[in-house]
Amino acid sequence: MELYKSNSIKVYNSLTKTKEVFKPINEGMVGMYVCGPTVYSNVHLGNVRTFMSFDMIYRYLLHLGYKVRYVRNITDAGHLTDDNSEDKISTKARLEKLEPMEIVQKYTVDFHKILDKFNFLPPSIEPTATGHIVEQIEAIKKIIDQGLAYESNGSVYFDVLKYNEKEHYGILSGRNMEDVINNTRDLDGQSEKRNPQDFALWKKASPEHIMRWSSPWGVGFPGWHLECTVMSTKYLGETFDIHGGGMDLKFPHHECEIAQAKACNHTNPVNYWLHTNMLTLNGQKMAKSTGNSILPGEILSGNNNILSKPFSASVARFFCMQAHYSSILDFSNDALEASEKGFYKLMEAIKLLEKLEPSNNSSVDIKAWKQKCYDAMNDDFNTPILIAHLFEGVKFVNLIKEGKETISAADLEDFIATINAFVFDVLGLERTVSSKEIGGEDKLSGVVEMLIQMRKNARDNKDWALSDKIRDELLALGIQLKDGKEGTTFTVN
């Protein structure tokens, strides 16, 4: 169904600093690019929240009937960031005594596993930086030909001041050139630059640098920003609809993307820039150095010092959806416990809804309720308001069950279809059973004890894959196994 024809979405555009009606370049089609992870370590929770927000946006666009090409890259090239002289992939390779591409593969697999557990839809295309070295070199040549980049000692830099003579470097972040100059750090390689604020398009590789490629300027590797410009425009066109990422990427990364794209193609690359906000933990910024951090997998396993117990992926996802993607979200044990209660209340209502008996007419206005759900999502993908309306739907279910309200067969069918669409298709939640839904503690215990015995047999036979699968899938259902001297026990969350 082409629901997009009757639903006008407004999005907050970081470029114009206003909420605008979303009009794709091509009717019925959307091109969306999101900056993916640099795969040198386990994906952290802040990244997952950003990708989850764009997964939700992707899902809603699909729900409306748009044909979406969603591109999310993998940064697997050992580049240096402009504010860090460390090549993180090469550094991790040395620490773990592995080849850089082993590091890349290891953490790319981890990234995909985590996103799969949190029920993400895969992007349409997932290009890698190393797979587009040739295109990056060609883009650099174009920028040099425009007189907006220069070679220096085997490296190539973008000339920010020259670019700023005709364009506004800082248009996305709201900076002027004076701000950029004053906030430029004294970093390695500054002596090679004409201006301190110039950024690298290509860096000459030192003898100890592991990841390196041949280029017209010598052996080296691409700069931090270039890959996203090259891959987004290659797969979505010189101008495309939506570019997303975390707010921390607005400057310098996204600012540099705009400059590079305009230098190459003489056009504004993106119509709508969307940025997610940060995730805090117990009111403080997440940081491994202070111990105030938690990995997504640790939420599911319960192996952490932050939470009182494990939580299912759907509960964690539901928690994230209760804040607008552009708002700061504080992660805490109390917040997750509250979300868990709300999540199970919603799941139980959906199960009850499917068993309701229709009447000859309706006393509840399902059409108006349904429109409010769409209005929430059409207002910059406002998931907390949507969830509030979903719980209004939960009240309808209980009132109908108690005989205080009635619903016709047609409205009941529409009610079920709508709540399922928003809960499962758009928010991306999964049905998770509680012991109450299974039919009581006795039945639950019997089923789980049978699975525990199957897992023990698998372990005795050294079938570790099956053993882990049983443990992980029970955990996803909110059932945690605990191995001890007396055998294996379980708890239900």
Side-chain angles (χ1 to χ4, degrees), residues 437-481:
E437 290 176 293
I438 289 173
E441 293 292 342
D442 291 342
K443 288 184 180 179
L444 174 66
S445 296
V447 172
V448 176
E449 290 297 343
M450 179 181 70
L451 289 168
I452 287 173
Q453 185 58 46
M454 289 174 63
R455 179 170 174 263
K456 181 180 182 301
N457 293 340
R459 288 164 67 118
D460 290 344
N461 293 324
K462 295 185 168 49
D463 188 348
W464 310 119
L466 178 58
S467 169
D468 290 347
K469 182 178 174 65
I470 293 170
R471 180 199 62 206
D472 293 344
E473 293 197 3
L474 282 173
L475 185 59
L477 295 171
I479 301 167
Q480 184 183 20
L481 301 185

Side-chain angles (χ1 to χ4, degrees), residues 384-403:
I385 299 299
L386 169 65
I387 288 170
H389 293 320
L390 292 175
F391 277 104
E392 184 184 357
V394 170
K395 288 181 183 177
F396 288 164
V397 172
N398 291 325
L399 289 170
I400 295 166
K401 178 198 173 189
E402 293 164 6

